[in-house]
Amino acid sequence: MFELDIDMLKEQGMQLFDTAKKTAQDIADKGKNQLELLNQQARLSKAQRQLGALVYSLHKAGEENQPLVDKYIDAVAEVEKTIEELKANMTPEECAACEPEEEEQFVVDEPAAPAEEAPAEEEIEEEPIKLRGETKTCPVCKAEVDGDALFCNHCGAQL
């Protein structure tokens, strides 16, 4: 008959186990990196929406608050930097798997109809903008702010 070399089988089994363990760890790490990239991309989108809402609300109120706008711009830049750092540690295929769907582009079209056919301004009802409907209180000035705001739009404190 043939003899079983227990030590050789044990050694091969350990090598297979180590290989499988390393492969599983690599897959888990890639998944964690992709999840973190997706989270940061969502955070970037949220910060950009908040910046746009802030600029719009300031413009609409005829106010200026450049320090607050700068804080939002810095927050956006910080998230963009984090995203670039994450992408630097990933393969192009991994990055492509995490790319967000193409976002809606805002295009200003020329009016198709003459100005006299445009609806009168009083006919257009304006609804207040609500980002999420949730609010929270600023710990510094106690103002009510949007629930997903990064900074208070009254005093500029980081939330």
Side-chain angles (χ1 to χ4, degrees):
M1 298 280 235
F2 72 96
E3 266 184 56
L4 289 176
D5 187 357
I6 302 295
D7 290 334
M8 183 181 77
L9 287 175
K10 183 179 175 184
E11 180 66 30
Q12 288 177 346
M14 291 301 286
Q15 287 175 354
L16 286 173
F17 174 78
D18 288 341
T19 301
K21 181 180 173 185
K22 184 181 181 310
T23 302
Q25 186 64 44
D26 288 346
I27 291 170
D29 288 343
K30 287 179 183 180
K32 286 179 188 176
N33 289 342
Q34 287 176 332
L35 180 61
E36 179 61 20
L37 180 59
L38 288 171
N39 286 336
Q40 291 298 324
Q41 288 171 336
R43 189 172 167 220
L44 175 63
S45 179
K46 177 180 169 183
Q48 289 171 333
R49 283 192 319 270
Q50 289 176 344
L51 174 61
L54 172 67
V55 170
Y56 178 77
S57 66
L58 288 172
H59 174 75
K60 187 116 174 137
E63 299 175 10
E64 274 193 40
N65 190 344
Q66 194 59 42
L68 182 58
V69 172
D70 289 342
K71 283 184 181 182
Y72 272 82
I73 290 171
D74 290 344
V76 168
E78 181 182 318
V79 176
E80 286 175 335
K81 181 181 174 191
T82 302
I83 288 172
E84 290 307 313
E85 289 170 357
L86 287 169
K87 284 183 174 182
N89 295 323
M90 299 172 79
T91 65
E93 294 81 23
E94 293 169 343
C95 291
C98 295
E99 284 302 313
E101 294 179 16
E102 205 168 297
E103 292 186 20
E104 223 178 274
Q105 297 292 321
F106 293 101
V107 179
V108 178
D109 292 328
E110 292 295 320
E116 68 237 17
E117 293 179 23
E121 195 169 320
E122 61 269 8
E123 293 175 20
I124 300 172
E125 290 185 26
E126 195 172 309
E127 292 185 27
I129 295 174
K130 290 186 179 179
L131 294 179
R132 296 265 184 225
E134 304 166 0
T135 60
K136 59 185 171 185
T137 304
C138 173
V140 177
C141 71
K142 308 297 184 220
E144 193 172 298
V145 294
D146 192 49
D148 61 353
L150 298 174
F151 299 95
C152 174
N153 58 353
H154 298 281
C155 71
Q158 187 168 2
L159 303 174

